[in-house]
Amino acid sequence: MTCTKTPHPILSIENLGITYPGGIEAIRSTSIQFQPGEFNVLLGLSGAGKSSLLRALNHLVKPTSGNVISAEFGALNNQRILRQHRRKTAMVFQHHQLILRHSALKNVLMGRLGYYSFWRSLLPMPQDSLKIALNCLDRVGLADKALTRVDQLSGGQQQRVGIARALAQQPTIILADEPVASLDPSTSEKILTLLKKICAEDGITAVVSLHQLEYAKRFADRIIGLSDAQIVFDAAPQQLDNKQLALIYEQPASLTKDETSTDIERLSTQKNLPHKTATQLEIA
């Protein structure tokens, strides 16, 4: 099931494939478009290809074949275009990727580095960047923590710092790789609510990888389901039925409706699978 293509996507991939050393196929040849202001969720089991696809969108994982095409900058086929694209494409990570000994404000200011040369970045940030960073902290409810070291903040607060850092880039696209996987359910809901609210207010396109079916249904404008290194579902959450869920979560089609729902709920909250996944190989 595939969403209809429109003439004005903000980001497209064409025949993109990713193969890791040893012949591990993380993404089979895939074409897909992302629309301006849309909140997209990549859904699937560990190893399905979610993180590989998401990280390919800014070449943190370099595709083996095919192209990533920015509506603003064109195909990401040289370093100049890639730098321009990355400046406007922010990342939110599962494990925050913050400098723990630095304050929340200093971490958020890291989001401004792409706007300055290497030598200029060695000097104190200009006042306009400082104002942007403080405003971003205020938007995630952490203005009063600006001068607090990050290692003194809770996990949820650290992730909000990560979102503020992403906002400081003034991006048109936010890529969030399992942003709530290390958080408790209550905090996870708050983080996703905040992220969707900010993206809606600013017209930012979001691509978010998740395991949790419940969160995908609640927050996504569009769900892109992956299984076995390929897209098996691409539509609005309302169109996600048990047959499609069985494809995403690799359940036998012969299961009853109740059995399918129970097994999928278990698998969608499972975080550690015994086999070595393509994502783990990528990180290694």
Side-chain angles (χ1 to χ4, degrees):
M1 186 176 295
T2 305
C3 286
T4 304
K5 292 184 179 181
T6 66
H8 303 296
I10 191 169
L11 190 66
S12 304
I13 62 174
E14 294 183 352
N15 304 314
L16 182 137
I18 301 170
T19 302
Y20 292 121
I24 303 297
E25 197 170 35
I27 293 292
R28 301 177 190 178
S29 183
T30 297
S31 298
I32 194 170
Q33 297 179 339
F34 298 96
Q35 308 307 323
E38 193 172 50
F39 199 90
N40 305 274
V41 169
L42 306 180
L43 183 66
L45 294 172
S46 292
K50 302 186 306 298
S51 289
S52 296
L53 176 59
L54 182 137
R55 288 166 177 255
L57 297 178
N58 64 355
H59 279 211
L60 282 183
V61 170
K62 191 171 181 180
T64 310
S65 60
N67 292 300
V68 180
I69 303 168
S70 161
E72 185 173 0
F73 305 113
L76 308 187
N77 54 15
N78 64 59
Q79 285 301 311
R80 179 183 61 83
I81 291 176
L82 183 57
R83 282 196 300 271
Q84 292 175 325
H85 174 66
R86 284 178 172 172
R87 183 186 301 161
K88 301 299 288 185
T89 304
M91 282 286 300
V92 178
F93 299 92
Q94 176 181 343
H95 296 295
H96 319 317
Q97 304 295 333
L98 303 173
I99 301 176
L100 298 181
R101 67 180 183 275
H102 283 180
S103 69
L105 179 59
K106 283 187 177 180
N107 274 277
V108 175
L109 282 168
M110 298 290 181
R112 300 296 303 161
L113 291 178
Y115 290 90
Y116 303 103
S117 69
F118 170 76
W119 296 110
R120 179 62 187 85
S121 69
L122 298 177
L123 300 173
M125 285 287 179
Q127 285 296 310
D128 60 341
S129 284
L130 186 61
K131 289 178 181 177
I132 289 170
L134 287 169
N135 179 61
C136 291
L137 278 171
D138 184 51
R139 292 188 69 187
V140 300
L142 290 177
D144 60 330
K145 302 291 185 182
L147 302 181
T148 302
R149 279 176 52 130
V150 165
D151 57 8
Q152 297 175 10
L153 300 177
S154 68
Q157 288 173 326
Q158 288 182 14
Q159 192 58 292
R160 282 192 276 159
V161 172
I163 293 172
R165 179 185 58 194
L167 286 178
Q169 288 183 227
Q170 298 180 314
T172 55
I173 301 170
I174 286 181
L175 309 177
D177 192 6
E178 298 287 357
V180 298
S182 61
L183 303 176
D184 63 81
S186 176
T187 305
S188 296
E189 184 172 335
K190 291 175 183 176
I191 290 296
L192 288 172
T193 299
L194 176 65
L195 183 59
K196 178 153 188 180
K197 177 176 181 288
I198 287 172
C199 289
E201 289 173 349
D202 293 9
I204 297 171
T205 300
V207 184
V208 183
S209 65
L210 293 175
H211 284 295
Q212 301 92 334
L213 173 61
E214 176 191 353
Y215 294 149
K217 285 183 172 180
R218 287 182 57 192
F219 293 101
D221 298 320
R222 172 190 184 191
I223 292 176
I224 301 164
L226 289 96
S227 177
D228 193 25
Q230 60 187 325
I231 293 173
V232 296
F233 176 84
D234 181 2
Q238 296 83 359
Q239 298 182 48
L240 190 60
D241 59 22
N242 278 347
K243 181 179 178 181
Q244 302 297 333
L245 287 170
L247 285 174
I248 295 171
Y249 289 105
E250 301 175 14
Q251 293 296 289
S254 60
L255 288 178
T256 68
K257 180 177 179 180
D258 289 342
E259 287 173 331
T260 302
S261 299
T262 300
D263 284 352
I264 285 170
E265 189 62 32
R266 173 179 57 81
L267 286 168
S268 70
T269 57
Q270 186 174 326
K271 294 182 180 178
N272 297 308
L273 297 181
H275 64 283
K276 192 153 191 167
T277 66
T279 301
Q280 290 170 326
L281 286 168
E282 168 200 328
I283 294 170

